[in-house]
Amino acid sequence: MLSAPHRTALPIGFGGESFLADPSGALIWPRRNAMLVADLHFEKGSAYARKGQLLPPYDSLETLIRLEEVAAAHRVRRILCLGDSFHDQGGPARLDPEDRRRLERLVAAHDWVWITGNHDHGAAAGLGGMVVDELLEAGVALRHEAATTAAPGERLEISGHFHPKAVLRVRGRRLSRRCFAGGRAPCGRNRLVLPAFGAYTGGLNALDPAVARLFAGGFDVWALGESTVHRLPSARLDPDQPRVGGHRPSSGRAAQGGASSITIGADEA
C-alpha cells in the first residue's frame, strides 16, 4: 500500500498572530488550538446535478475526509468554518445519510463554529455546533466576506468567499494553484483571505480586481503545493490572459484540472 505523501505546513506571522498554512488550504491557529477553513461547498455536486450538469457525487465525502485528516494531523480542538460550508440551503438535506452521520460525529468531537455565507445562510444549523454571522476573537475578525471597515478592536481580518488562486509562469508554463492572500487592507488593518477548501470549488486569479482591491498596494500569496506551501509577492503573479476577441475572463473561476473540473461564474462565489 502506498503511504500518503508527507505534508509540511508553512508558518505565517501575520497581524501579530502566528499561524500555519497547511497545503490542504486550512489555516491552523496554534494559540487558539483551532483550524480555520473556508468555502467547503458541501453538496455542490448534487446542486449541479439538479440543474442537469452531472458530476461524480462524491465531493462532500472527499471534502469531509480531508477535514478529518487535517484536524487529526494538527490535533486541533476547535474548527471554524468561514462560510459557504454548503453550496445552498438545501445541501444538508441532500447529504448521503452516512456522510451526514460522519459529519455530525466530526462536529460533535470539536468545538465547532459555522460562520454564515452568502450561499448557505446558516443551513448547517441542524448538524450541531454554533452558527454565527461573524466572530471577533483576540482582535481577529472571522467572517465570510471581507468587510470595508474594521470594527473597534479589530487588528486582523480572516475571511474566504473569493477562492483566490495564484497564477504564475515557471519555465515558460503557466501554473495555477489555490492560495492564501494577505496584506494591508485599505482601511489600515491586516487582512488574510483563505483559499476554498471544497473539492468542487474553483479559483479566482489573485490579481483579479475583485481580489486585488482588498489590499492597499502589493500583497503576498501563499500558494498550495502538493506537500508544502510557497510564499510569493503579488508582483510575481501572472494576470489572466485576454481571450480570443479581446474579452478578458476577469471574474471567471475554473477548477484546477482533473475529473472534477468545472467552470463557474463570479456569481458562484
Side-chain angles (χ1 to χ4, degrees):
M1 178 183 294
L2 294 176
S3 60
H6 180 70
R7 300 166 71 90
T8 304
L10 182 71
I12 296 179
F14 202 74
E17 293 287 342
S18 296
F19 302 100
L20 295 172
D22 191 86
S24 65
L27 185 71
I28 309 302
W29 192 359
R31 186 167 78 89
R32 311 298 288 189
N33 197 11
M35 178 174 86
L36 283 63
V37 291
D39 297 282
L40 303 175
H41 282 266
F42 283 130
E43 290 305 303
K44 183 170 185 174
S46 63
Y48 271 63
R50 289 161 69 96
K51 298 177 182 178
Q53 186 174 348
L54 299 182
L55 298 170
Y58 308 117
D59 56 307
S60 294
L61 178 59
E62 180 181 338
T63 300
L64 181 54
I65 290 172
R66 288 170 55 234
L67 274 175
E68 292 172 338
E69 291 176 345
V70 179
H74 292 281
R75 299 181 180 180
V76 296
R77 179 178 60 84
R78 307 177 65 208
I79 297 180
L80 301 103
C81 302
L82 305 189
D84 285 359
S85 298
F86 282 87
H87 190 65
D88 56 34
Q89 287 185 283
R94 298 196 304 273
L95 274 172
D96 177 87
E98 180 52 39
D99 292 349
R100 183 185 181 97
R101 287 190 290 270
R102 191 167 181 169
L103 177 55
E104 289 173 337
R105 287 194 297 268
L106 185 63
V107 172
H110 296 84
D111 179 2
W112 194 287
V113 177
W114 304 100
I115 291 174
T116 58
N118 59 295
H119 272 253
D120 55 22
H121 301 287
L127 296 167
M130 179 174 67
V131 179
V132 297
D133 290 334
E134 57 182 54
L135 192 64
L136 182 63
E137 188 164 316
V140 180
L142 306 175
R143 54 177 61 101
H144 177 59
E145 186 172 358
T148 304
T149 59
E154 180 182 322
R155 55 185 168 81
L156 171 63
E157 176 193 72
I158 302 178
S159 61
H161 181 67
F162 289 98
H163 305 201
K165 67 177 181 180
V167 180
L168 61 154
R169 289 189 179 274
V170 179
R171 292 189 288 273
R173 295 181 57 197
R174 294 182 86 237
L175 300 179
S176 174
R177 304 296 297 181
R178 291 181 301 135
C179 70
F180 300 84
R184 180 73 67 175
C187 65
R189 55 114 148 81
N190 289 293
R191 166 176 285 159
L192 186 63
V193 181
L194 269 56
F197 192 90
Y200 279 177
T201 49
L204 180 65
N205 192 321
L207 292 184
D208 187 280
V211 178
R213 67 175 174 77
L214 301 176
F215 304 101
F219 56 96
D220 288 337
V221 301
W222 291 263
L224 308 184
E226 292 300 322
S227 59
T228 190
V229 178
H230 308 273
R231 183 173 183 170
L232 299 164
S234 58
R236 285 276 311 277
L237 304 182
D238 202 38
D240 284 325
Q241 301 300 303
R243 289 179 175 173
V244 176
H247 299 292
R248 176 176 170 272
S250 62
S251 295
R253 303 186 186 277
Q256 299 173 31
S260 63
S261 293
I262 58 176
T263 299
I264 61 178
D267 59 346
E268 291 287 346

